[in-house]
């Protein structure tokens, strides 16, 4: 048995994604209802999963038979990387088939102590039970867990054509710096995945710290935020402002609309189409003054708006830079300033691009990420404006989102309300997707701090955006720009909003009496539009849909600020 470095595992995963032959996408996945899991700080991890209906067993002598192909066992926090992940290869020599013939009743792995201090001492695969115990210094898992614990047992090692998967949220008994223990977790609908490139929550924590006082443009806090971003980018990208050197190569200073600001920009060079570009961006600035929710708390941390979005840009960049083969097109990473003053940083860039906009094939935008609007909407997130890339963009977005348990809803360009940096790229004729969680009760308040960030959701959002950006960077023919439809909204938008409103009614008691009437009325109106069918969708329905959606967003901002993590 040997421990596989997580960075190597990530590179193998990314390489597979690059050529479109990711083993995980081709695997047969079996969800395991989790009985119990225990993780002790750098010492031991174990889990037991049981199924009354039974688990399918690898056929003796098949490619999935671990006595011939071995296996791979992975433990990870679905939100964090680093010390909250461990991967073990279980050599074929350690496996034994149970029953007669051998393997007909399952398989057992017995580990041996080695120079690293031992690891997986026992793994059992039987029809009703799958369990594992790993001990020693190779167990690098370190509680507390920020999100659910993912467990994936893949057979054979390397290609994992068969995967047994558990995701322990379940009932939490303990989750502190010493031990994590959870029980009774349902079988996951899809196999959990570790963070792409290792989402680092410290990116969010650093950018949203009180010391930065909101990161308002042209302030000391903004300068500190720029340095945090540049220090991170320098590890895997190069400054895009080629006329400058050192840290200045990562900066695009500007004066726009009476405001002084500095965009932070970098590039990961592509290969055969390096003079074409995919831009991945989001604003890093926030505001200097906002609504204070607690006496004495006057700092506008802007954790979800948009420290989390800036962290997503960094994470996508790290994952792309870690690929063993660069993507075909170059990937620009852009952190905009003065967005809160009227999208001024991205406007300046659109007017003074550091790479030609005619050679920019797409823009992926983050603004408000890792945020939950209501307990009933924890899995909901939105992709605005994919129609600006036609059906090709819609197809790539759907492929990128497949396999995630996020409820990703595509909405037409108009639903972005012209309130984020994607506007300046659409106005420049660049196909665009804008990822957002919309404005909720913590928006522009002192409550938007790191405590409300759903890091598990943020990781999943980042994974979808990474796969989309990578697909755009490697596409044989990138999406062609399509100007936003003059119809403004579509029947598909009505279906998506109807689903959202219907789900939100589960938390109707969280709203004021007046807003309860508003929301139930809106739900009835939109449900009627959907029931009438696409053939009857007209301009009056568009107006109703847009006004009801605005009412929904306004009502959400009037509920209590709570991350609902």
């Amino acid at each position: 048995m040997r421990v596989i470095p997580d960075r190597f595992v990530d590179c193998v995963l990314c390489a597979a994604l690059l050529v479109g032959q990711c083993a995980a996408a081709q695997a047969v996945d079996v969800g395991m209802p989790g009985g119990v899991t225990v993780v002790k700080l750098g010492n031991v991890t174990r889990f037991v999963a049981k199924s009354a209906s039974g688990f399918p067993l690898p056929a003796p002598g098949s490619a999935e038979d671990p006595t011939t192909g071995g296996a791979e066992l992975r433990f990870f926090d679905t939100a964090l990387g680093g010390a909250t992940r461990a991967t073990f290869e279980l050599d074929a020599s350690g496996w034994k088939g149970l029953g007669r013939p051998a393997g007909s009743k399952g398989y057992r792995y017995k580990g041996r102590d080695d120079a690293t201090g031992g690891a997986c001492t026992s793994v059992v695969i039987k029809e009703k039970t799958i369990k594992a115990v790993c001990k020693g210094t190779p167990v690098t898992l370190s509680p507390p867990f920020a999100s659910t614990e993912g467990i994936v047992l893949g057979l054979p090692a390397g290609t994992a054509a068969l995967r047994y998967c558990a995701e322990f949220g379940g009932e939490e008994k303990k989750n502190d710096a010493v031990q994590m223990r959870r029980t009774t977790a349902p079988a996951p609908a899809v196999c959990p995945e570790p963070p792409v490139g290792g989402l680092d929550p410290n990116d969010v924590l650093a950018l949203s710290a009180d010391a930065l006082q909101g990161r308002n443009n042209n302030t000391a806090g903004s300068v500190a935020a720029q340095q945090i971003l540049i220090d991170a980018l320098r590890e895997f990208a190069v400054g895009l402002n080629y006329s400058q050197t050192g840290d200045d190569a990562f900066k695009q200073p500007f004066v726009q609309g009476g405001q002084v600001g500095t965009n932070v920009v970098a590039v990961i060079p592509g290969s055969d189409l390096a003079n074409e570009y995919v831009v991945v961006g989001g604003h890093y600035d926030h505001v200097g003054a906002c609504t204070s929710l607690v006496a004495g708390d006057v700092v506008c941390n802007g954790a979800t708006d948009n420290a989390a979005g800036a962290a997503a840009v960094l994470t996508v960049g790290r994952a792309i830079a870690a690929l063993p083969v660069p993507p075909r097109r170059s990937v620009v990473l852009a952190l905009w300033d003065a967005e809160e003053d009227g999208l001024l940083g991205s406007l300046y860039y659109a007017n003074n691009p550091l790479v030609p906009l005619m050679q920019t094939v797409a823009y992926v935008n983050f603004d408000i990420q890792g945020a939950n609007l209501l307990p009933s909407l924890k899995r909901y997130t939105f992709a605005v404006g994919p129609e600006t890339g036609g059906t090709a963009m819609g197809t790539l977005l759907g492929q990128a989102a497949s396999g995630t348990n996020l409820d990703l809803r595509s909405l037409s360009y108009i639903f972005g309300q012209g309130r984020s940096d994607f506007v300046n790229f659409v106005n420049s004729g660049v196909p665009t997707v804008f990822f957002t969680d919309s404005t909720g009760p913590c928006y522009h308040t002192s409550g938007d701090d790191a405590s409300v960030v759903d890091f598990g959701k943020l990781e999943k959002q980042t994974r979808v955006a990474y796969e989309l950006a990578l697909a755009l960077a490697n596409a044989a023919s990138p999406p062609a720009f399509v100007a936003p439809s003059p119809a403004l909204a579509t029947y598909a938008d009505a279906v998506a909003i109807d689903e959202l409103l219907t789900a939100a009614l589960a938390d109707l008691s969280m709203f004021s009496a007046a807003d309860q009437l508003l929301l139930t009325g809106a739900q009835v109106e939109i449900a009627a539009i959907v029931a009438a069918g696409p053939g009857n969708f007209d301009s009056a329905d568009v107006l109703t849909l847009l006004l009801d959606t605005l009412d929904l967003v306004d009502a959400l901002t009037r509920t209590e600020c709570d991350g609902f993590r």
Side-chain angles (χ1 to χ4, degrees), residues 263-274:
N263 294 327
V264 177
V265 284
V267 63
I268 301 169
S271 54
D272 61 308
L273 295 176

Side-chain angles (χ1 to χ4, degrees), residues 158-382:
T159 57
L162 172 63
R163 302 193 303 179
Y164 298 100
C165 311
E167 185 169 5
F168 276 93
E171 184 177 349
E172 188 165 277
K173 304 293 186 179
K174 197 170 186 180
N175 188 26
D176 56 29
V178 176
Q179 182 181 157
M180 187 276 284
R181 178 185 176 89
R182 291 173 176 160
T183 61
T184 58
V190 296
C191 283
E193 297 288 352
V196 173
L199 175 69
D200 189 347
N202 289 319
D203 291 333
V204 179
L205 297 174
L207 289 169
S208 61
D210 284 358
L212 272 62
Q213 294 290 303
R215 310 183 303 280
N216 199 11
N217 59 294
N218 201 29
T219 65
S222 175
V223 173
Q226 293 165 34
Q227 197 60 53
I228 290 169
L229 294 169
I230 292 169
D231 288 345
L233 290 166
R234 193 188 294 112
E235 296 294 323
F236 57 87
V238 296
L240 187 61
N241 193 344
Y242 298 128
S243 66
Q244 303 295 320
T245 60
D247 286 357
D248 288 341
F250 292 88
K251 298 179 181 180
Q252 186 189 36
F254 64 84
V255 177
Q256 181 76 45
Q259 295 289 326
V260 176
T262 302
N263 294 327
V264 177
V265 284
V267 63
I268 301 169
S271 54
D272 61 308
L273 295 176
N275 63 341
E276 296 182 11
Y277 304 88
V278 174
V279 180
V280 179
H283 73 95
Y284 72 91
D285 69 307
H286 193 54
V287 295
C290 62
T291 301
S292 178
L293 300 182
V294 179
D297 184 3
V298 296
V299 177
C300 310
N301 304 86
T304 63
D305 179 24
N306 191 38
V313 174
L314 295 177
T315 305
V316 170
R318 290 188 187 106
I320 289 175
L323 291 168
V325 177
R328 300 184 69 196
R329 296 177 179 85
S330 298
V331 177
V332 172
L333 306 170
L335 290 311
W336 313 116
D337 202 358
E339 186 271 354
E340 301 287 2
D341 297 290
L343 322 179
L344 299 182
S346 58
L347 176 60
Y348 183 84
Y349 179 91
N351 292 333
N352 304 273
L354 295 176
V355 297
L357 290 175
M358 290 293 293
Q359 293 163 223
T360 299
V361 303
Y363 174 56
V364 176
N365 186 65
F366 297 103
D367 197 351
I368 307 182
Q369 295 285 272
N372 295 318
L373 297 171
L374 291 169
S376 57
L377 302 180
K378 287 181 65 173
R379 287 168 46 184
Y380 277 78
T381 191
F382 308 98

Side-chain angles (χ1 to χ4, degrees), residues 290-293 304-305 368 371-375 377 437-449 452 510-511 515 552-564:
C290 62
T291 301
S292 178
L293 300 182
T304 63
D305 179 24
I368 307 182
N372 295 318
L373 297 171
L374 291 169
L377 302 180
D437 286 332
S438 187
T439 52
C442 299
Y443 177 71
H444 282 196
T445 73
S446 61
D448 185 12
D449 58 27
V452 302
M510 297 180 63
F511 294 87
D515 282 342
L552 169 61
V553 172
D554 287 344
L556 286 167
T557 64
R558 292 190 287 269
T559 58
E560 182 179 356
C561 175
D562 187 325
F564 311 117

Side-chain angles (χ1 to χ4, degrees), residues 31-95:
M32 299 187 293
V36 63
T37 184
V38 175
V39 175
K40 294 184 179 179
L41 177 61
N43 176 264
V44 65
T45 181
R46 65 182 177 88
F47 81 93
V48 177
K50 296 184 178 182
S51 172
S53 59
F55 299 110
L57 299 176
S62 68
E64 295 79 36
D65 182 339
T67 65
T68 58
E72 182 179 284
L73 180 59
R74 308 185 74 183
F75 299 88
F76 49 90
D77 187 325
T78 58
L80 306 181
T84 51
R85 32 189 347 189
T87 302
F88 306 101
E89 183 177 296
L90 312 177
D91 295 334
S93 60
W95 286 96

